[in-house]
Amino acid sequence: MQNRTRWGMPAAGVLLAMGLSACAAAPGGHIDYEAESDPLSEVNVDVQPITLDLIQEMNATTRDPADVALVNSGRPAESTPDYDYYIGRGDVLNIIVYDHPELTIPAGSERSAAESGNVVHSDGTIFYPYVGQVNVVGRTVHDVRNEIQRRLADFIAEPQVDVKVAAYNSQKAYVTGQVNSPGQFPITNVPLRVLDAISQAGGLTDSANWREVVLSRDNTDTSLSVYEMLVYGDLKQNLLLEDGDVLHVPEVGNQQVFVMGQVNQPASLAMGNTRLSLTAAISQAGGIDEGNANASGIFVIRRNPVPSDTYATVYQLDASNAAAFVIGSQFMLEPTDVVYVTAAPLARWNRVLRLLLPSLTTIYQATEVNENIQDL
């Protein structure tokens, strides 16, 4: 069980506009902020030291890729054994009547099957010799073959007929956003799923957000995580695409970690397609500023989901001993985490929080704006 201390502070959204005063307090104490305006409701923050026990506790609640793969291995749904293509307007059918080339290839034709085939007209029909008009829209090639074979039997003894789709023109899905070759992709007799479409679009770009891919269908948006599909093998999200679907891959957006304070190169680090540890984040920010940083004050501020009794959770890594970075390498960050390396001793951490919260509020508000824009 981890030791948890709780810090009291006002709602962070108003800190930008109010005068603040704080009493000095050590970790585990209580911070009182005073405002000249009406009293404000208090929001609490949990503070937890980063230890091996904490990491083991977090890992216990995180999905194991092997476990997800084991669950998916028993699901035959992804093979879509009952999938079939339904003919649409604009498709081109190639109809073969064996031993009767005059019905298969027009005289003198050297064109391809797509060029010389039977185009499905706007009324949903095709015309075939002896048979006449055949309604084909919304039917499978198996159904059409059986009907043509049955109707040809009045003119040809035991006709052997084969029907194929020579050109898939009627149904399309669209892939947009951060892929290398966005465009439209035909729905064919081969099932087209989310990962298939992204692959056909050239794969994701370096700035793609793997965790918040949006599938739009019939005025309804569904959020999908390509990251979970590829890393955890969660194929339940690998949905079958239908005609008119739009698969949008947004930019990395709020899928970033912010490294601030006494580091050599403060930065925002994209983590759209990868996991990032605390040690790796500090390393990518040029390491801590050893001349000014207080090694005992490496903090990760993580906003809690709404609704929650606490505004955020603050995780503390005491790196006074360099070996602590080994523990930091096992502490995995999440999008919108803020890593802050303080120069202040822990006895003045309340003042650090007071100075840091306006920046945190700006980050979180920007994140919410981005999420709201994506929801529009």
Side-chain angles (χ1 to χ4, degrees), residues 241-318:
L241 298 185
E242 299 177 359
D243 181 34
D245 284 355
V246 177
L247 189 66
H248 180 70
V249 181
E251 291 184 338
V252 67
N254 63 351
Q255 301 296 304
Q256 301 180 72
V257 166
F258 306 91
V259 186
M260 307 166 61
Q262 301 304 314
V263 291
N264 291 310
Q265 298 173 3
S268 59
L269 307 176
M271 56 179 307
N273 63 347
T274 185
R275 300 185 73 191
L276 189 66
S277 71
L278 174 57
T279 300
I282 294 175
S283 176
Q284 292 186 37
I288 64 175
D289 182 353
E290 296 183 1
N292 297 313
N294 187 305
S296 64
I298 299 176
F299 298 92
V300 177
I301 300 96
R302 178 172 299 168
R303 186 172 183 180
N304 293 331
V306 178
S308 175
D309 293 336
T310 56
Y311 176 72
T313 300
V314 179
Y315 300 96
Q316 176 202 349
L317 178 67
D318 185 349

Side-chain angles (χ1 to χ4, degrees), residues 8-10 15 18 20-22 31-35 350 353-354 357:
M9 60 187 150
L15 291 179
M18 60 182 284
L20 300 174
S21 64
I31 303 175
D32 296 320
Y33 291 102
E34 297 177 358
N350 60 323
L353 271 179
R354 186 184 68 179
L357 276 171

Side-chain angles (χ1 to χ4, degrees), residues 221-241:
D221 292 343
T222 302
S223 181
L224 305 172
S225 175
V226 174
Y227 180 85
E228 292 184 359
M229 294 185 217
L230 297 179
V231 175
Y232 295 110
D234 186 3
L235 297 182
K236 290 184 293 185
Q237 299 188 61
N238 192 25
L239 301 179
L240 184 68
L241 298 185

